Amino acid sequence: MKKGLLAIKGMALCIGASLLLAGCGGGESEETVIIPPNEIIGAVEAGEYDRIYDGLSADFRKEFSRSDFSKAVKGFSEDVKAWHDVSELKLNNSHYKTWKNEDTSKGISVILTENGEIIGFKMMPLQTYPESDQAFTKLTYSLPLTEDWFVFWGGENVMANYHYEYESQRYAYDLIQVKDGFSYNGDPTKNESYYAFGKDITAPHAGKVVHVVSDIPDNEPVGTMNDKQPAGNVVIIDHGDGEFSYLAHLKKDSVTVKVGDLVEKGDLVGLSGNSGNSSEAHLHFQVSDGDDLFASKSLRVKWENDLHPVQGDTLSQP
């Protein structure tokens, strides 16, 4: 919700732009030489920086020279003995893959096009929060949905879950629906084209509704975002024990509950939408220790059936 980036293509633009090295310009214009995704990190470990550079898209190579790219990757990775897989996401004809080093202090992520060109390459220091990672909610929560949903952002590191950087949203999830590798079918600028638009969202645990917003328009064309009302249409439920669930970016006028209502697990509370700081239809879900999203701390959710959802997982009600 802080950034609201969902589409891999949009994420690639963000990531690609972050690697503007000193001495921009001077990139060569040779044809891209495709590297199989599972060989990219091996090329980093082997010091084959030219091979990686040759795998960048022509537009991406224009941003920096071969020498600057090689120097940056070598400087970041030369003290790392081995890289380990973290997450992988294939969606909407794009491919996102991430790795971390042995002590989770460094990470690398790449984004590739459908034909295998690298259009995003990011190297980043990683921060971990082991104390809060092990502090689960007191209550056990069910999935707030009735169909299969896909974890776009989720997990205990910033590469699989961009929320992790922010204490107020550290253990949040962004959930979409996917069919045949796509989150939409039809005109990508229309909300109705997205599988996640207008689907039932349910209470994850019994509680009392303490906050409701339902009058914010859904963003259209898709890709425009409303950062002035970041949560969009939202339902907040007080479950007791100092735990509050947030179900955000709901469809305009779809909320079925009001402040003061008592709900049981599985009760319908609204429909998924694309309101607020959202780049496409999805559900933002989290549990926090207070009813103010940005002033409270996000809590790691203890899920029913010992679920541990992470980026790339498909979630289904049992």
Side-chain angles (χ1 to χ4, degrees), residues 206-220:
K208 182 178 181 179
V209 177
V210 294
H211 183 70
V212 166
V213 177
S214 190
D215 61 353
I216 297 174
D218 292 284
N219 301 321
E220 201 167 272

Side-chain angles (χ1 to χ4, degrees), residues 134-151:
Q134 299 305 314
F136 289 83
T137 55
K138 299 172 186 175
L139 302 172
T140 302
Y141 293 84
S142 67
L143 296 172
L145 40 90
T146 60
E147 303 178 21
D148 289 353
W149 285 70
F150 183 84
V151 182

Side-chain angles (χ1 to χ4, degrees), residues 65-139:
S65 69
R66 181 183 298 271
S67 174
D68 285 339
F69 179 83
S70 297
K71 186 182 301 183
V73 179
K74 180 179 180 181
F76 182 79
S77 63
E78 62 183 349
D79 63 339
V80 177
K81 296 179 180 178
W83 294 94
H84 304 280
D85 291 343
V86 175
S87 64
E88 186 169 16
L89 193 62
K90 297 179 181 179
L91 185 68
N92 298 341
N93 282 337
S94 294
H95 188 172
Y96 174 66
K97 192 168 175 60
T98 70
W99 302 268
K100 65 178 182 179
N101 67 343
E102 306 95 322
D103 63 358
T104 317
S105 62
K106 294 183 177 182
I108 292 177
S109 65
V110 298
I111 299 177
L112 305 97
T113 63
E114 182 182 15
N115 65 6
E117 292 183 325
I118 299 171
I119 57 172
F121 190 101
K122 185 175 183 180
M123 302 171 293
M124 69 201 90
L126 299 179
Q127 181 71 43
T128 58
Y129 302 93
E131 185 173 344
S132 60
D133 284 354
Q134 299 305 314
F136 289 83
T137 55
K138 299 172 186 175
L139 302 172

Side-chain angles (χ1 to χ4, degrees), residues 239-300:
H239 301 288
D241 285 313
E243 296 180 3
F244 299 77
S245 67
Y246 294 71
L247 304 112
H249 304 308
L250 302 177
K251 183 179 179 181
K252 182 184 178 184
D253 297 330
S254 74
V255 173
T256 60
V257 294
K258 62 183 184 299
V259 172
D261 282 355
L262 299 179
V263 295
E264 296 296 327
K265 181 182 77 172
D267 285 352
L268 181 69
V269 298
L271 303 178
S272 53
N274 185 32
S275 59
N277 200 33
S278 168
S279 59
E280 71 174 78
H282 74 286
L283 174 69
H284 174 103
F285 175 79
Q286 69 179 77
V287 177
S288 297
D289 63 2
D291 62 1
D292 184 321
L293 176 62
F294 297 107
S296 305
K297 293 180 181 179
S298 175
L299 304 173
R300 188 173 176 188

